[in-house]
């Protein structure tokens, strides 16, 4: 017996000590969070309101107010003593309470990315602004005549003359050569900043602090490549035949300027059907409101505080943000969307999309701590928004919501399906170019980047590099400057939308196929999303949330199942 008690005490003493350390650290962390949230919550709400005012009015005083508040928020997150506390608690590895551990992780990463030395940060911000200004004020030219991007899009979607097309395509890329030296300098400075906080480069820092891992992303993108390579090659062959015929050339002679988008990221309009026809005599706001109410996710409170229409003609109109977004003001139910609605298919898609973001925010469990009352990841809210936005082109949904005949539905199904299918697979291939290029750009900014770009474009998009030396046309993609290392999240959002769709159709509705699924008036959809996705907010890391909601981690197979048929 004595022997046993010695064994027990050897085992138990460290556990008791550890218990003490755990308790002390949990107490310390709880105190930290209480203090932090008491400072950050009111500032965040004020900044969100200022952002809303600035976006709806465009007034410079609102933008000034917003930058002052953002600076105050950044000052909190850049405090090195607070960061030291968080690091110590985190390194101790003793926080076992899952809710506390989640909050600690979120705080730790938010502080970590703000620990860049102030002088380096200033150089970065200034150079970033310089590149953006050059980008915004540059105009490409065709035969010496200045053109805007919208001129270029018009030529690329309508012009038959190949010489003009080639000049327009080249004009769209000219800005790349103008900004590329500054952009590479920016990449090197971002890398320098990332190394200061312990990462090998900026790309890694962005992935890790976004709670993702390179291996995980590589794995998803490699699977997606394998699953889409063959169907994409077939669809593209069919498209090439149509395009080549329209230009009177052989498919093998097609060059990048023969496609309808500077980066071939959008499907040429050869398959398009004018869906606006079906929406022009309807009220897209009313359709969205009725649909969401029908699935048990009422949005009347959101719409009541939203800004939905442009105010063309009124003096207050000029400065309103021209696109759309959803905005969670206070994490306590004040959720708004901004749109510039018209009764077109594009705005039907947009309001469904933005309300998808909005219901995600609205239905976070309010008993959860403030720090966790947000989506599991920026791409998970994107996935939900995409899930709803896709319905505007869905024939079954359109038939129910717009009272269409079977014949009309069949027509939409034929044309719209082909377009949608191609668009999705094309986007996946394009996203692979972006993901792989950015990864290698930050790993070695001194390599032959122009050559690398074309190797990836030829591999994933099957588009030929034009003869002659490669220029820096890739740098004309604005995301490299303004939203670095983020593009892959758009693709992950698409994958999640398909995975949620698959899971709901098969596990909740218990159907074998999604053939007639429109979701219209199916209250189970709202119940499912509230319980599994919206309610938990950021309580679980994103892949755990997805596994809990769908039975498996994020996978490309349902995206492929949905769009490759
Ligand atoms: Zn969105």
């Amino acid at each position: 017996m004595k022997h046993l008690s010695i064994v027990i005490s050897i085992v138990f003493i460290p556990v008791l000590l550890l218990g003490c350390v755990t308790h002390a650290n949990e107490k310390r962390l709880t105190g930290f969070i209480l203090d932090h949230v008491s400072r950050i919550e009111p500032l965040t709400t004020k900044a969100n309101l200022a952002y809303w005012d600035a976006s709806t009015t465009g007034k410079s005083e609102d933008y000034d107010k917003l930058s002052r508040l953002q600076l105050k928020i950044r000052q909190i997150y850049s405090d090195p003593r607070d960061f030291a506390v968080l690091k110590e608690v985190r390194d101790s590895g003793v926080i076992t309470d899952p809710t506390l551990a989640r909050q600690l992780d979120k705080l730790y990463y938010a502080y970590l990315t703000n620990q860049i030395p102030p002088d380096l940060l200033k150089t970065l911000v200034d150079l970033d602004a310089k590149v953006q200004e050059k980008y915004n004020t540059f105009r490409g030219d065709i035969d010496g005549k200045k053109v805007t991007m919208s001129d270029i899009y018009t030529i690329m979607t309508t012009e038959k003359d190949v010489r003009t097309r080639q000049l327009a395509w080249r004009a769209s890329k000219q800005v790349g050569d103008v900004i590329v030296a500054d952009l590479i300098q920016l990449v090197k400075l971002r890398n320098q900043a990332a190394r200061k906080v312990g990462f090998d480069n900026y790309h890694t820092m962005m992935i890790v602090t976004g709670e993702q891992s390179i291996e995980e992303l590589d794995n998803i993108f490699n699977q997606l490549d394998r699953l889409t390579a063959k169907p994409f090659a077939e669809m593209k062959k069919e498209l090439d035949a149509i395009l080549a015929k329209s230009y009177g050339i052989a498919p093998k002679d097609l060059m990048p300027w023969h496609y309808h988008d500077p980066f071939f990221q959008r499907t040429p309009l050869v398959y398009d059907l004018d869906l606006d026809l079906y929406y022009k005599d309807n009220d897209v706001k009313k359709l969205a409101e009725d649909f969401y109410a029908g699935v048990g996710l009422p949005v009347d409170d959101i719409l009541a505080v939203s800004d939905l229409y442009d105010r063309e003609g009124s003096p207050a109109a000029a400065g309103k943000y021209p696109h759309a977004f959803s905005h969670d003001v206070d994490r306590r139910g004040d959720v708004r969307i901004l749109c510039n609605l018209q009764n077109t298919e594009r705005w039907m898609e947009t309001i469904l999309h933005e309300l998808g973001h909005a219901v995600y925010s609205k239905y976070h469990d309010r008993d959860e701590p403030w720090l966790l009352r947000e989506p599991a990841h920026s791409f998970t809210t994107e996935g939900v928004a995409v899930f709803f936005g896709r319905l505007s082109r869905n024939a079954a949904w359109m038939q129910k919501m717009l009272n269409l005949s079977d014949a009309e539905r069949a027509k939409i199904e034929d044309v719209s399906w082909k377009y949608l299918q191609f668009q999705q697979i094309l986007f996946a291939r394009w996203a692979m170019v972006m993901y792989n290029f950015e990864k290698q750009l930050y790993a070695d900014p001194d390599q032959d980047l122009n050559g690398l770009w074309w190797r990836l474009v030829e591999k994933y998009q099957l588009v030929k590099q034009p003869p002659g030396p490669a220029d820096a046309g890739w740098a004309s993609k604005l995301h490299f400057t303004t939203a670095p290392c983020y593009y892959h999240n758009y693709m992950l959002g698409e994958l999640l939308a398909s995975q949620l769709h698959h899971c709901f159709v098969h596990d909740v509705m218990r159907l074998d196929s999604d053939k007639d699924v429109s979701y219209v008036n199916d209250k189970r959809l709202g119940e499912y999303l509230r319980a599994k996705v919206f309610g938990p907010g950021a309580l679980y890391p994103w892949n755990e949330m997805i596994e809990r909601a769908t039975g498996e981690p994020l996978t490309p197979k349902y995206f492929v199942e949905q769009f490759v048929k």
Side-chain angles (χ1 to χ4, degrees):
M1 285 306 276
K2 188 143 196 279
H3 193 70
L4 186 67
S5 80
I6 290 170
V7 174
I8 289 172
S9 62
I10 289 168
V11 175
F12 272 87
I13 287 169
V15 173
L16 284 174
L17 278 177
L18 192 68
C20 241
V21 176
T22 304
H23 187 68
N25 274 302
E26 278 186 354
K27 229 174 119 185
R28 198 176 175 199
L29 179 59
T30 309
F32 183 99
I33 291 172
L34 213 63
D35 172 64
H36 175 80
V37 173
S38 75
R39 287 183 294 144
I40 206 79
E41 183 181 357
L43 271 178
T44 306
T45 304
K46 273 188 208 157
N48 285 339
L49 283 168
Y51 180 75
W52 179 259
D53 291 342
S55 310
T56 50
T57 65
K59 284 190 191 144
S60 60
E61 66 246 43
D62 291 327
Y63 278 105
D64 290 345
K65 191 175 171 193
L66 175 63
S67 356
R68 282 197 303 277
L69 288 160
Q70 281 172 332
L71 181 68
K72 277 191 186 164
I73 291 172
R74 206 162 47 233
Q75 276 164 350
I76 292 181
Y77 284 106
S78 55
D79 187 325
R81 282 157 311 183
D82 280 356
F83 178 62
V85 173
L86 290 169
K87 190 165 170 4
E88 209 181 299
V89 175
R90 195 166 183 269
D91 289 349
S92 76
V94 294
I95 302 295
T96 47
D97 176 76
T99 310
L100 267 182
R102 279 298 294 149
Q103 294 178 85
L104 174 57
D105 273 352
K106 293 195 81 73
L107 278 172
Y108 176 77
Y109 287 132
Y111 273 84
L112 179 63
T113 46
N114 280 287
Q115 299 307 304
I116 295 159
D119 49 335
L120 177 55
L121 187 65
K122 188 177 180 316
T123 317
L124 260 170
V125 171
D126 290 348
L127 185 55
D128 194 338
K130 185 182 157 200
V131 179
Q132 279 192 57
E133 195 187 338
K134 267 194 193 174
Y135 187 96
N136 291 339
T137 50
F138 181 85
R139 295 281 174 274
D141 69 83
I142 295 181
D143 284 335
K145 193 171 154 275
K146 297 280 178 213
V147 285
T148 64
M149 268 319 283
S150 75
D151 296 333
I152 290 169
Y153 279 118
T154 307
I155 294 172
M156 295 207 69
T157 47
T158 58
E159 182 60 55
K160 288 278 164 232
D161 179 65
V162 173
R163 182 178 172 273
T164 312
R165 297 190 66 86
Q166 180 175 354
L167 290 173
W169 181 79
R170 292 203 183 275
S172 78
K173 310 280 175 166
Q174 285 164 350
V175 68
D177 277 331
V178 174
I179 63 168
V180 72
D182 284 338
L183 178 55
I184 290 174
Q185 181 59 20
L186 192 57
V187 166
K188 289 179 176 175
L189 283 169
R190 284 172 179 162
N191 276 348
Q192 207 180 317
R195 283 180 197 125
K196 294 257 187 234
V197 291
F199 294 97
D200 57 350
N201 65 51
Y202 183 78
H203 183 261
T204 316
M205 179 178 95
M206 292 297 281
I207 302 294
V208 173
T209 57
E211 300 191 287
Q212 292 170 334
S213 83
I214 306 278
E215 301 76 60
E216 186 173 47
L217 292 180
D218 281 350
N219 181 21
I220 288 173
F221 275 89
N222 288 338
Q223 280 185 58
L224 192 61
D225 177 23
R226 275 199 307 278
L227 293 167
T228 55
K230 204 167 150 255
F232 174 69
E234 282 161 12
M235 286 181 218
K236 180 160 176 298
K237 198 173 162 201
E238 192 186 327
L239 170 71
D240 282 356
I242 297 173
L243 286 177
K245 197 170 162 226
S246 78
Y247 300 118
I249 58 175
K252 68 171 177 41
D253 296 326
L254 285 168
M255 283 290 146
W257 47 84
H258 288 114
Y259 299 92
H260 288 198
D261 178 275
F263 287 102
F264 190 36
Q265 66 177 98
R266 257 175 285 254
T267 318
L269 298 173
V270 292
Y271 295 128
D272 211 4
L273 167 74
D274 187 10
L275 293 178
D276 288 351
L277 220 67
Y278 298 98
Y279 289 104
K280 72 177 173 41
D281 297 322
N282 277 287
D283 177 351
V284 295
K285 177 198 167 197
K286 175 95 174 48
L287 288 169
E289 190 171 5
D290 290 350
F291 170 70
Y292 274 98
V295 295
L297 298 168
V299 292
D300 44 333
D301 52 342
I302 297 169
L303 293 172
V305 290
S306 290
D307 191 316
L308 298 174
Y309 300 98
D310 64 6
R311 284 155 298 198
E312 215 60 73
S314 83
K320 186 182 169 184
Y321 182 71
H323 309 292
F325 62 82
S326 165
H327 197 47
D328 183 355
V329 173
D330 60 2
R331 306 192 190 186
R332 292 171 187 276
D334 183 350
V335 184
R336 312 168 181 192
I337 63 168
L338 180 144
C339 287
N340 291 277
L341 293 180
Q342 286 169 0
N343 294 321
T344 60
E345 189 271 330
R346 190 189 137 217
W347 282 105
M348 183 78 254
E349 197 249 34
T350 304
I351 189 172
L352 288 169
H353 179 107
E354 299 308 337
L355 286 171
H357 285 299
V359 288
Y360 198 152
S361 300
K362 173 180 163 179
Y363 289 110
H364 292 320
D365 181 352
R366 306 254 175 95
D367 293 331
E368 258 179 34
W370 185 84
L371 286 168
L372 302 183
R373 248 179 277 148
E374 55 176 14
H377 196 278
S378 55
F379 92 77
T380 62
T381 178
E382 210 49 54
V384 168
V386 164
F387 174 94
F388 287 107
R390 281 177 186 169
L391 293 171
S392 69
R393 281 176 174 267
N394 177 301
W397 188 86
M398 288 177 74
Q399 181 175 36
K400 280 240 172 75
M401 294 303 295
L402 305 169
N403 298 317
L404 304 181
S405 67
D406 288 344
E408 281 173 306
R409 174 182 160 165
K411 199 166 111 194
I412 295 167
E413 234 152 25
D414 272 3
V415 188
S416 175
W417 168 247
K418 194 159 203 169
Y419 176 88
L420 185 67
Q421 186 183 27
F422 197 159
Q423 179 57 46
Q424 295 288 347
I425 303 301
L426 180 67
F427 183 76
R429 305 302 295 179
W430 160 245
M432 287 174 216
V433 174
M434 289 295 286
Y435 171 68
N436 285 292
F437 183 79
E438 240 177 347
K439 192 171 93 176
Q440 297 184 47
L441 166 67
Y442 285 91
D444 177 12
D446 289 318
Q447 65 181 306
D448 170 18
L449 295 165
N450 303 350
L452 170 68
W453 176 260
W454 280 107
R455 280 200 302 284
L456 294 170
V457 167
E458 291 190 334
K459 175 176 175 190
Y460 293 114
Q461 293 184 292
L462 307 176
V463 172
K464 273 195 210 92
Q465 177 180 352
D471 60 20
W474 59 269
S476 69
K477 190 75 201 158
L478 188 59
H479 291 77
F480 292 127
T481 307
T482 55
C485 312
Y486 185 81
Y487 213 86
H488 61 277
N489 286 312
Y490 299 123
M491 191 65 235
L492 301 188
E494 298 285 343
L495 302 185
L496 177 59
S498 293
Q499 191 162 336
L500 290 171
H501 172 72
H502 174 94
C503 180
F504 187 75
V505 168
H506 291 260
D507 300 346
V508 182
M509 300 177 88
R510 306 218 161 267
L511 297 172
D512 292 331
S513 136
D514 65 356
K515 197 180 161 294
D516 289 309
V517 173
S518 69
Y519 296 121
V520 175
N521 290 327
D522 193 336
K523 295 259 187 310
R524 289 173 298 180
L525 180 62
E527 273 163 36
Y528 168 75
L529 290 173
R530 287 179 64 171
K532 302 287 188 176
V533 182
F534 305 167
L539 181 60
Y540 309 112
W542 59 268
N543 224 354
E544 188 181 336
M545 179 280 283
I546 294 172
E547 196 167 350
R548 283 167 179 266
T550 68
E552 59 192 315
L554 186 67
T555 160
K557 69 183 179 214
Y558 301 115
F559 173 82
V560 174
E561 180 189 283
Q562 192 174 358
F563 295 111
V564 178
K565 277 177 188 158

